[in-house]
Amino acid sequence: MERANRPPLLPVIIGTGFGSGFWPWGPGTAGAVLATLIWLGLSCCLGWQQLTALTLVLIVAFTALGTWATARLQPFWGDDPRRVVVDEMVGVWIPLLACASPPSKWWMALVALVLFRFFDIVKPLGIRALDRRKGAIWVMLDDVLAGIYSLIVIWAITLISHG
């Protein structure tokens, strides 16, 4: 009987960012940090072109998987559960697209993480409006927009520092 009240395992694994969403102090930050660490690990093994391509694949795949997982978890955990952090993972991978080329990828990855968390927490420029909408896709898309804004800022930093 107790089992019927539990959410299915695969959506829990995906939605919670491989369990990082269960971190009690800032689960969104835990998910974003995990995603950044995954990306940094991949950056040690791949060239910048392969890293950029794989990052794009991760963004698309986890946006789809995250939407599916969130929809499956909402009946158990509510509309925008704190434990669901796959959206933060996708969101931080977006600005990391601009960080793949050496030599500054470690420093820029930290900048990407901080910028993304800033936009995700403060929710300016339409992010809050998306965050207020109901449905699994909106759980994902407010973080996608925060990631896009972070990417734009990183591109601007890159242009100014190299210009």
Side-chain angles (χ1 to χ4, degrees):
M1 188 66 101
E2 181 181 323
R3 194 157 214 240
N5 293 329
R6 285 190 191 162
L9 182 59
L10 187 58
V12 169
I13 291 169
I14 295 167
T16 64
F18 308 106
S20 63
F22 290 111
W23 180 255
W25 306 284
T29 299
V33 167
L34 176 63
T36 303
L37 291 173
I38 290 168
W39 185 89
L40 284 168
L42 291 170
S43 77
C44 294
C45 309
L46 302 172
W48 73 267
Q49 294 98 338
Q50 294 86 7
L51 181 60
T52 301
L54 182 56
T55 304
L56 280 169
V57 169
L58 289 171
I59 291 166
V60 171
F62 276 84
T63 298
L65 288 169
T67 302
W68 170 81
T70 301
R72 298 287 310 273
L73 294 170
Q74 285 175 324
F76 298 92
W77 293 347
D79 287 331
D80 191 358
R82 286 179 42 91
R83 288 177 271 200
V84 171
V85 298
V86 66
D87 49 332
E88 277 85 3
M89 294 177 75
V90 168
V92 79
W93 282 328
I94 293 170
L96 286 170
L97 284 168
C99 303
S101 61
S104 60
K105 67 180 166 192
W106 297 92
W107 179 81
M108 290 302 287
L110 179 61
V111 171
L113 174 63
V114 170
L115 278 171
F116 169 72
R117 288 306 290 152
F118 168 79
F119 283 111
D120 186 34
I121 292 167
V122 176
K123 299 189 185 313
L125 306 168
I127 298 170
R128 186 167 311 282
L130 292 181
D131 185 56
R132 290 183 179 141
R133 302 197 65 171
K134 301 291 184 209
I137 190 66
W138 302 107
V139 170
M140 298 299 298
L141 289 183
D142 73 302
D143 290 279
V144 167
L145 187 55
I148 291 169
Y149 289 153
S150 303
L151 176 64
I152 291 168
V153 171
I154 287 176
W155 277 338
I157 291 169
T158 302
L159 285 172
I160 291 167
S161 67
H162 291 92

